[in-house]
């Protein structure tokens, strides 16, 4: 059966994130490219957090969705460059996260990120997340590590509820051509 | 089959290493560091002092294993002999592993674990930050993400370094004892050997001398601020990179590899 690139893209982007099923992988910015050639489809994805074990499930789910949509041969390729950033998560997706009780990722510092080691008070968060339960900005981080690779653990000092926050991953510098320093 | 080199200890260098292209060897070093660090840190599972630290340490271990997966996959592709990440992780023998000895040191107590994490995580950020400009686009792309992920490791390690150093007399003793054990091994990370200097010249890898400078500029003032001291001993050879490992490496490797080796070709 023939499948168009457009339809294949729709199907791929609609695949729910295994950990956050309210979101499709499309709105997380994971799907980079989809090309259909008759009944053969190639999908290019970018991995999110390096240790994230959900990527395997995502690849499997993409394959199943496309087979169900009529594709006979499905090939998934991982593209590392440019690296995925939480900045790629759409505004709609951020709102869905908030309604689900997870604080969306803080905006990351603009421009290329020189990883500062000397000044650790320069946090990777340009501002803390707002509490997804009560909206207060009086929040404090319990741990930079949470239940999954993508989450941090915070608590609200206003309503006293704990909540998960998506860990910010800035866009980083573009892959260089000049060679290492 | 290429005959193994004989190194200055009279033993053989990691068999087959000289047959690998330079970049593949370098990626293998970084990948083995990550893999072995991930294996070591995961030994804290269910044993950490608090639930939040169990989660933190295991998340850091997961980051390391994730980094190892990418680096070993890239090393296998660069080698071009059809070996994938699993072949490299589970089917090589001890002498073929080229991780630094710092990575394979046993965790020791929590103080030693934090001491080693502080040293390794600062090196990782300096290393991966510089590798973002590698002439190899895959290494550069991977490094862009790994540098940020390792920055979270630095924050965690430094916050515990401070709490232990400025906690009680006992906690300060434990973290200082940890520094005394791990610090000398850090020297291996920065030894400028022919492989790294060659890759520096071709723009693929950063200069280890510059990395050492950046590493010291962060850690030495931090230790001084916390009232901790670094020992004078400093490794200037590369035993780990030559496939020579400490005695505890053997049982750790067996634990890591035995399941995969017991069921060849098995899959979930």
């Amino acid at each position: 059966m023939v499948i168009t690139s457009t339809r294949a893209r729709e199907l791929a982007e609609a695949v729910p994130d295994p950990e956050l099923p309210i979101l499709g992988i499309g709105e997380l910015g994971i799907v980079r490219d989809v090309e259909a050639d008759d009944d053969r489809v190639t999908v290019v994805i970018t991995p999110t957090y390096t240790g994230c074990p959900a990527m395997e499930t995502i690849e499997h789910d993409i394959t199943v969705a496309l087979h169900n949509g009529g594709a006979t041969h499905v090939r998934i390729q991982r593209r590392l460059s440019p690296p995925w950033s939480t900045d790629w998560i759409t505004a709609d997706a951020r709102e869905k996260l908030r309604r689900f009780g997870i604080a969306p990722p803080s905006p990351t510092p603009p421009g290329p990120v020189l990883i500062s080691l000397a000044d650790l008070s320069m946090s990777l968060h340009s501002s803390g997340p707002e509490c997804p339960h009560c909206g207060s900005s009086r929040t404090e981080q319990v741990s930079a590590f949470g239940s999954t690779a993508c989450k941090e653990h915070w608590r609200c000092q206003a309503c006293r509820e704990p909540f998960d926050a998506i860990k910010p991953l800035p866009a980083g510098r573009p892959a260089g051509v000049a060679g290492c320093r | 089959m290429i005959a193994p080199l004989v190194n200055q200890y009279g033993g053989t260098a990691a068999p087959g290493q000289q047959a690998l292209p330079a970049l593949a060897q370098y990626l293998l070093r970084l990948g083995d560091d990550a893999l072995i660090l991930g294996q070591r840190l995961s030994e804290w599972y269910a044993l950490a002092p608090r639930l939040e630290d169990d989660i933190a340490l295991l998340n850091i271990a997961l980051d390391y294993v994730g980094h190892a997966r990418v680096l070993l996959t890239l090393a296998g592709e660069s080698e071009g002999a059809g070996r994938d990440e699993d072949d490299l992780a589970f089917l090589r023998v001890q002498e073929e592993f080229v991780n630094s000895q710092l990575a394979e040191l046993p965790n020791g107590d929590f103080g030693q674990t934090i001491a080693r994490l502080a040293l390794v995580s600062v090196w990782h950020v300096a290393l991966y930050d510089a590798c973002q400009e590698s002439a190899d686009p895959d290494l550069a792309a991977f490094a862009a993400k790994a540098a940020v992920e390792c920055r979270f490791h630095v924050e965690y390690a430094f916050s515990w370094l401070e709490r232990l150093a400025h906690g009680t007399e006992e906690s300060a003793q434990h973290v200082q004892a940890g520094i005394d054990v791990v610090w000398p091994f850090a020297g291996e990370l920065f030894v400028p050997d022919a492989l790294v200097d060659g890759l520096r010249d071709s723009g693929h890898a950063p200069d280890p001398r510059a990395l050492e400078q950046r590493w010291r500029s962060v850690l030495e003032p931090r230790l001084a601020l916390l009232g901790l001291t670094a020992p004078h001993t400093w490794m200037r050879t590369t035993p780990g990179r030559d496939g020579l490992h400490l005695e505890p490496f053997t049982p750790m490797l067996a634990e890591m590899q035995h399941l995969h080796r017991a069921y060849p070709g098995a899959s979930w």
Side-chain angles (χ1 to χ4, degrees):
Chain A
M1 200 177 117
V2 171
I3 184 169
T4 64
S5 291
T6 314
R7 179 70 186 136
R9 187 165 199 130
E10 260 170 28
L11 289 170
E13 290 186 342
V15 167
D17 181 279
E19 180 57 33
L20 312 159
I22 40 154
L23 299 177
I25 58 172
E27 49 193 337
L28 287 171
I30 290 173
V31 180
R32 308 302 305 283
D33 232 335
V34 183
E35 253 188 58
D37 179 17
D38 205 22
D39 60 351
R40 314 178 82 88
V41 182
T42 303
V43 181
V44 179
I45 57 174
T46 295
T48 54
Y49 300 83
T50 315
C52 176
M55 288 310 293
E56 251 96 20
T57 310
I58 287 173
E59 289 182 13
H60 173 262
D61 290 351
I62 292 173
T63 308
V64 168
L66 288 171
H67 278 311
N68 290 344
T72 314
H73 301 279
V74 179
R75 193 166 62 125
I76 316 252
Q77 284 176 330
R78 291 196 188 193
R79 183 185 296 164
L80 295 177
S81 178
W84 184 82
S85 161
T86 47
D87 293 347
W88 297 0
I89 299 178
T90 66
D92 274 348
R94 286 161 197 269
E95 189 46 43
K96 281 190 204 174
L97 281 167
R98 204 174 282 121
R99 275 187 274 122
F100 196 62
I102 299 176
S106 312
T108 60
V113 177
L114 178 65
I115 308 296
S116 167
L117 282 170
D119 181 12
L120 285 177
S121 63
M122 184 202 89
S123 172
L124 282 163
H125 303 87
S126 49
S127 62
E130 285 175 359
C131 174
H133 305 300
C134 75
S136 170
S137 53
R138 283 200 301 131
T139 57
E140 85 180 336
Q141 187 181 76
V142 173
S143 176
F145 304 96
S147 48
T148 56
C150 56
K151 298 203 205 101
E152 303 177 327
H153 195 61
W154 287 70
R155 73 172 144 234
C156 179
Q157 290 161 308
C159 73
R160 315 303 283 179
E161 287 292 324
F163 60 92
D164 281 332
I166 302 293
K167 204 158 166 171
L169 274 193
R173 280 185 266 172
V177 292
C180 293
R181 293 180 249 117
Chain B
M1 183 69 184
I2 298 173
L5 297 171
V6 177
N7 66 21
Q8 67 268 40
Y9 305 104
T12 54
Q17 286 313 302
Q18 64 280 14
L20 291 175
L23 184 63
Q25 285 192 57
Y26 186 70
L27 292 168
L28 211 54
R29 287 182 179 185
L30 301 192
D32 282 351
D33 279 333
L35 180 69
I36 299 306
L37 281 164
Q39 182 70 16
R40 272 296 182 220
L41 219 50
S42 69
E43 291 170 3
W44 272 106
Y45 183 53
L47 300 173
R50 296 180 317 162
L51 185 59
E52 287 83 359
D53 297 294
D54 215 278
I55 291 171
L57 289 169
L58 268 297
N59 265 288
I60 295 172
L62 183 63
D63 281 349
Y64 284 147
V65 173
H67 295 168
R69 295 192 64 186
V70 176
L71 288 164
L72 292 183
T73 300
L74 292 178
E77 286 170 1
S78 181
E79 179 193 44
R83 289 202 284 184
D84 70 2
E85 50 180 326
D86 287 338
D87 295 330
L88 290 167
F90 299 116
L91 299 180
R92 280 183 295 155
V93 295
Q94 174 160 324
E95 294 72 27
E96 292 174 294
F97 276 82
V98 289
N99 56 280
S100 62
Q101 288 194 344
L102 179 64
E104 70 189 64
L105 284 176
N107 289 323
D109 63 11
F110 190 67
Q112 182 169 314
T113 297
I114 292 299
R116 190 254 299 279
L117 186 64
L119 270 50
V120 165
S121 55
V122 171
W123 167 66
H124 268 148
V125 173
L127 170 75
Y128 291 140
D129 198 32
C131 283
Q132 287 185 81
E133 283 163 8
S134 173
D136 183 75
D138 286 329
L139 176 57
F142 160 74
K145 214 210 296 290
V148 177
E149 291 170 351
C150 290
R151 171 59 197 279
F152 288 106
H153 305 172
V154 175
E155 287 185 7
Y156 177 76
F158 276 26
S159 93
W160 265 115
L161 211 58
E162 179 170 357
R163 278 183 273 179
L164 293 174
H166 286 168
T168 63
E169 211 177 280
E170 187 183 355
S171 70
Q173 275 167 13
H174 279 275
V175 71
Q176 179 62 66
I179 301 268
D180 290 341
V181 169
V182 305
W183 184 272
F185 286 92
E188 182 172 16
L189 303 173
F190 307 111
V191 172
D193 66 4
L195 175 75
V196 179
D197 276 350
L199 289 169
R200 174 207 56 194
D201 292 340
S202 61
H204 287 93
D207 189 330
R209 301 159 190 81
L211 291 181
E212 181 176 348
Q213 247 188 326
R214 192 172 180 205
W215 184 86
R216 284 182 181 274
S217 75
V218 173
L219 277 165
E220 284 170 347
R222 179 70 45 154
L223 291 186
L225 195 69
L226 296 176
L228 297 169
T229 57
H232 294 295
T233 329
W234 187 248
M235 192 184 278
R236 297 179 195 285
T237 54
T238 57
R241 303 301 189 201
D242 293 335
L244 296 170
H245 299 288
L246 304 167
E247 194 191 339
F249 187 89
T250 310
M252 183 205 65
L253 194 70
E255 186 171 48
M256 190 177 90
Q257 295 187 335
H258 81 279
L259 190 64
H260 183 97
R261 287 167 176 267
Y263 300 98
S267 63
W268 292 105

